[in-house]
Amino acid sequence: MFEIVSSGGIVMIFLLILMALAMMIVGERFWSLRNKEIIPEQLPGQVIEWSKKKNLDQKHIEQLAETSPLGYLMAAALRKRMDPREEIIESVEDAGRHISYQLEKPLNWLNVIGEVSPLLGLLGTVIGMMKVFANIMEFGVGNANQLAGGISQALTTTAAGLIVAIPAVLFYRYFKNRIADQTIVMEQQVMQLIDAISKK
C-alpha cells in the first residue's frame, strides 16, 4: 500500500487528504440527516396539540425552533399565527430556504471534492508523463526501469483521483435526494400545522 501511495508522488498526498475529508463529511451527513434528527415523529402532533390548547408563549416557540429543522419551520409558522395565511406561508418559505441551505452546506464540499479529485489525478498523470519524456531524453527508450516510475505515477494518480471522485459524487447525489425527500415531508407537516392554526 505504501509503495502505491509513494509511487503517486506528492499529488497522492492531496488525494489522500481529500479522501479523508470526504469520508468525514459522509459520516457526519449520515449522522445529521437521520429522520429522527430532521423530522422527529412525535413533534407535529405535539405542536398541533399545543396550538389547540393555546400553550404557545414565546419561550415555547423559541425552544421549538432549536429542536430540529422541522421545529424551526413550525416555529416560523407559529410566530405569524395571528397573521393572514399568506403571510404565515411566506414566513415558512423563508425559513425553509434557510434550513435547506444549512442542510446542504456541507454537501458543497463533497461536490468540490468530486470535481477536484479527477483534476488532481490528471495533474499527477501529466507530471508522470513529463518524467517519462524527461527520462527518454536523458536515457533513451532502452531503459525500462527509468520509464516505469513516471508511467506508474501517471496511472496511479489517475486511478486514485477516480477512486476519490466517484464515491464523493454518488454520496453527494444521495444526500441531495435525501434532503429533498425530507423537505417534502417537512412541508406537508408544516402545512398541516398552518391548517390547524388558520381554523382557529
Side-chain angles (χ1 to χ4, degrees):
M1 182 66 182
F2 178 76
E3 291 179 358
I4 295 175
V5 173
S6 62
S7 68
I10 192 171
V11 172
M12 280 295 292
I13 297 174
F14 292 106
L15 287 171
L16 289 175
I17 292 172
L18 290 180
M19 179 184 289
L21 182 59
M23 291 172 64
M24 289 171 55
I25 294 171
V26 168
E28 186 274 335
R29 286 293 85 188
F30 265 121
W31 181 260
S32 297
L33 294 178
R34 292 172 298 161
N35 282 338
K36 69 178 184 178
E37 295 291 329
I38 305 299
I39 42 178
E41 191 174 335
Q42 306 299 326
L43 188 61
Q46 290 176 351
V47 174
I48 291 175
E49 192 65 27
W50 292 346
S51 69
K52 288 178 180 177
K53 294 178 179 178
K54 298 186 178 180
N55 188 18
L56 289 169
D57 55 31
Q58 193 62 28
K59 182 179 179 182
H60 274 93
I61 293 174
E62 294 307 321
Q63 288 176 345
L64 173 64
E66 296 174 2
T67 59
S68 63
L70 176 58
Y72 186 87
L73 294 181
M74 289 186 161
L78 293 174
R79 290 190 190 101
K80 296 281 188 177
R81 63 189 180 278
M82 300 301 180
D83 296 339
R85 181 185 176 90
E86 293 74 17
E87 292 187 21
I88 299 175
I89 292 174
E90 183 179 345
S91 176
V92 170
E93 287 175 348
D94 289 341
R97 284 189 286 271
H98 173 75
I99 286 295
S100 294
Y101 172 77
Q102 293 298 325
L103 293 177
E104 294 180 3
K105 188 176 180 180
L107 297 184
N108 293 333
W109 286 104
L110 203 57
N111 188 39
V112 168
I113 291 170
E115 292 177 352
V116 169
S117 296
L119 297 177
L120 279 174
L122 180 60
L123 176 62
T125 301
V126 172
I127 293 172
M129 295 310 295
M130 288 170 64
K131 287 183 178 180
V132 169
F133 287 114
N135 287 332
I136 290 175
M137 291 177 63
E138 185 173 355
F139 302 103
V141 295
N143 193 335
N145 290 332
Q146 294 292 335
L147 303 179
I151 295 173
S152 175
Q153 178 175 350
L155 296 177
T156 300
T157 54
T158 301
L162 294 174
I163 288 171
V164 174
I166 292 171
V169 171
L170 290 176
F171 279 116
Y172 172 78
R173 292 296 179 192
Y174 168 77
F175 287 127
K176 286 280 284 187
N177 290 335
R178 185 174 180 82
I179 291 170
D181 292 341
Q182 290 173 331
T183 300
I184 290 172
V185 174
M186 286 191 287
E187 287 175 355
Q188 292 171 343
Q189 295 184 352
V190 173
M191 287 306 298
Q192 290 175 4
L193 173 63
I194 293 174
D195 291 339
I197 62 180
S198 296
K199 290 176 182 176
K200 295 192 300 177

